[in-house]
Amino acid sequence: MRTIKYILLLCLTALLPSCNEEEIAPFSAERGINFLTLDAYGGFVDNYQSLSTTVNFYKYYAAKGMAFTDTTTKVGVQLEGLMSDQPVNIRLKVLADEDYPLAEVTVPGDSAIAPGEYRRTITVGIRKPEVADTEYRAILTFDYENSDVVPGTKERQQYTIILKDETNWEDMYVTNEDEWNSWYAEYLGSYGPVKVRFIMAALNEAKGYGYDQVKQIYNLTQMMPTYGFSYYLDDIIAVLNEWNSTHDEPLAEADGTPVTFPNN
C-alpha cells in the first residue's frame, strides 16, 4: 500500500511544473458595437427583435405648423467587450430598404462613447416625407471603417427608421374620405390631405389649440354642428388668407388643387 502511494506522489509531483508553466491567454478581442432600443423614458432595452423607430408626422402640424420639415429622433448603442479609458468613436451610415422609398435621415459625423462608459444615445435628423400616407424607410448601420469598433452580434447591427405622414382617421371620428365628406364637407368643403393638416395648424395659430383640442372639435361637429367647425371657420380662413398672401403659391393639394373652405 505504501509503495502505491509513493509512486502516485511521484507522478503528481512530476506533473506540477507543467501546470505552473502554463499561461492563460489574456482576452484580446476587439471592441464590438450593437444597437439597442430606447424605451419611452430614455432608457435602454436590449431587444434585437424591435430595433426600429416609427415617426408619424401627422400630429406635428398642430404644434409646428405647415412650414415645418425637420425634427430628430434617437437611437441607442452599446459596446460589446471591455470598456475603454479613452473615447471610443462611433460613426453611423444610412442604407436604403429596397422595398420602400428612402427616408431622409441625417446622421452625425462622429459620436463618441465616453471613457469608462459602454452606452450612449445618438441623435439623428429626420425629414417629413414628401408624400402623405406613404411609408418611407432608412436603415442605420455602423461605418466600421471610420469607427473604433468592429461588428458585435449579427442581429444588432442594423436599426430601421420608419417615417410617414399618415392621416389619423380615427381621431377625426371617421374611417375614410367618403365618411369625412359626409360629416364635415358642409362646414369645411371637400376632403384633402393638405386641408386636414392645415386645419390643425390654423387652429393652433389662431386659437393656440393643440392636437387633442382639434380632435374634440371634430367630435363636437358631429354632436353639435353649430358649435363645431362652423364656429371656427372664420379663424381658419383668416390663417389661410395670411398664408397665401405671404407665399409665392397658394396652399394646394399635391395635385395642384387649391385648399379652400366655404365662403373663401
Side-chain angles (χ1 to χ4, degrees):
M1 181 64 71
R2 289 181 180 178
T3 302
I4 293 175
K5 289 182 178 179
Y6 180 71
I7 294 174
L8 179 60
L9 179 61
L10 286 177
C11 291
L12 291 173
T13 303
L15 291 173
L16 287 176
S18 61
C19 293
N20 292 335
E21 291 175 3
E22 182 179 353
E23 295 182 0
I24 299 175
F27 178 78
S28 60
E30 296 182 80
R31 289 184 183 87
I33 191 70
N34 296 311
F35 280 110
L36 297 176
T37 299
L38 293 175
D39 62 26
Y41 306 99
F44 296 89
V45 179
D46 186 9
N47 184 352
Y48 70 90
Q49 294 180 318
S50 63
L51 291 176
S52 67
T53 293
T54 300
V55 179
N56 186 358
F57 285 74
Y58 179 76
K59 291 185 179 181
Y60 287 12
Y61 293 92
K64 297 179 178 291
M66 293 300 291
F68 92 99
T69 57
D70 303 281
T71 186
T72 61
T73 190
K74 298 180 183 294
V75 297
V77 299
Q78 175 177 280
L79 292 176
E80 181 179 282
L82 299 178
M83 288 188 293
S84 173
D85 59 1
Q86 299 293 324
V88 178
N89 184 56
I90 307 297
R91 183 176 291 185
L92 303 178
K93 63 181 179 180
V94 179
L95 303 177
D97 184 327
E98 62 183 16
D99 296 326
Y100 296 87
L102 180 61
E104 291 194 52
V105 177
T106 304
V107 297
D110 292 286
S111 300
I113 296 178
E117 299 291 335
Y118 68 103
R119 288 175 169 176
R120 73 155 291 166
T121 60
I122 298 177
T123 300
V124 299
I126 55 176
R127 179 173 284 264
K128 182 177 67 176
E130 291 186 4
V131 181
D133 299 315
T134 299
E135 185 172 305
Y136 292 69
R137 293 193 178 199
I139 299 172
L140 299 183
T141 189
F142 299 102
D143 183 355
Y144 306 105
E145 293 182 359
N146 294 295
S147 301
D148 299 331
V149 291
V150 298
T153 55
K154 181 179 179 180
E155 298 85 359
R156 296 171 175 83
Q157 299 308 294
Q158 293 188 342
Y159 194 98
T160 302
I161 302 292
I162 303 169
L163 305 182
K164 52 189 177 180
D165 186 358
E166 184 175 81
T167 303
N168 191 325
W169 298 105
E170 182 179 357
D171 285 355
M172 295 185 288
Y173 301 95
V174 294
T175 58
N176 54 43
E177 179 178 341
D178 289 339
E179 278 194 17
W180 193 97
N181 283 331
S182 69
W183 281 106
Y184 309 121
E186 179 180 352
Y187 316 103
L188 298 172
S190 298
Y191 170 84
V194 174
K195 175 180 283 188
V196 296
R197 288 154 175 79
F198 177 77
I199 289 168
M200 291 188 284
L203 286 170
N204 177 262
E205 182 175 334
K207 306 302 256 184
Y209 289 171
Y211 183 84
D212 288 340
Q213 289 169 296
V214 177
K215 178 180 174 181
Q216 290 172 6
I217 296 173
Y218 274 104
N219 189 31
L220 189 60
T221 301
Q222 291 191 12
M223 297 174 61
M224 302 175 64
T226 304
Y227 298 98
F229 279 113
S230 60
Y231 183 83
Y232 296 98
L233 187 57
D234 289 344
D235 294 309
I236 295 171
I237 291 174
V239 176
L240 177 63
N241 290 338
E242 181 182 359
W243 173 278
N244 289 340
S245 68
T246 55
H247 290 76
D248 293 336
E249 298 290 338
L251 186 67
E253 300 292 345
D255 64 0
T257 303
V259 173
T260 61
F261 295 90
N263 303 320
N264 175 234

